[in-house]
Amino acid sequence: MDARIDPAKLAGLREGDAHVIRNAGGRASDDAIRSLVISYELLGTREWFVIHHTGCGMELFTDPIISDLLRSSLNTARYENGAWKDAGRGPGSSHGEFINWLTIRSQSESVVADVERIRRHPLVSKEIPIYGYIY
């Protein structure tokens, strides 16, 4: 999801070389796995790469932090001195507490967990090579 990273340039790809599925944190969410399965089953993708990057913003908060921010206000929060500050212009919503935000404590742990989650998914063929990287 990081706008600073161009996946095609990163991997030396040309248009049509790969299907790129991007989301916050590069996590193996249900929707990401849905897209991967479609890519393989219907479009013939032969291998998958899970790529996370250093300095990821998903390491800067937890589920309770974002839920609290959203409960207070739906306006953009600020990150100051290592902490999130609420915009304080309510209203907010408690619906954030029902979402698994898939935050990251450790890049290496999250890449391993995501590759393993994809490999063990019942809709993923055991024939697909799956690689994990941190950029």
Side-chain angles (χ1 to χ4, degrees):
M1 186 172 118
D2 193 319
R4 299 172 299 177
I5 299 172
D6 180 338
K9 285 183 184 175
L10 164 73
L13 301 171
R14 292 185 320 255
E15 186 174 329
D17 283 349
H19 298 141
V20 178
I21 301 159
R22 297 177 78 159
N23 65 11
R27 302 308 311 269
S29 65
D30 288 342
D31 192 56
I33 292 172
R34 176 189 69 88
S35 297
L36 289 168
V37 169
I38 290 168
S39 180
Y40 175 78
E41 187 71 19
L42 302 179
L43 303 172
T45 301
R46 295 185 309 273
E47 57 189 351
W48 296 342
F49 297 82
V50 175
I51 304 173
H52 292 201
H53 68 86
T54 59
C56 181
M58 296 296 287
E59 294 177 291
L60 301 178
F61 66 96
T62 61
D63 284 17
I65 288 172
I66 192 165
S67 293
D68 288 347
L69 288 167
L70 291 166
R71 188 177 301 107
S72 178
S73 171
L74 299 180
N75 296 106
T76 303
R78 297 179 320 277
Y79 191 69
E80 297 176 356
N81 302 320
W84 287 100
K85 305 291 183 198
D86 175 51
R89 292 187 303 253
S93 173
S94 62
H95 284 80
E97 63 192 70
F98 299 103
I99 294 177
N100 178 358
W101 296 98
L102 301 173
T103 58
I104 296 172
R105 284 189 323 232
S106 158
Q107 283 293 340
S108 57
E109 289 175 14
S110 69
V111 169
V112 169
D114 286 346
V115 168
E116 284 303 310
R117 180 167 193 263
I118 295 167
R119 278 193 178 129
R120 294 171 195 243
H121 197 281
L123 297 177
V124 172
S125 169
K126 303 300 180 217
E127 297 175 16
I128 304 169
I130 306 168
Y131 309 95
Y133 297 96
I134 298 173
Y135 175 73

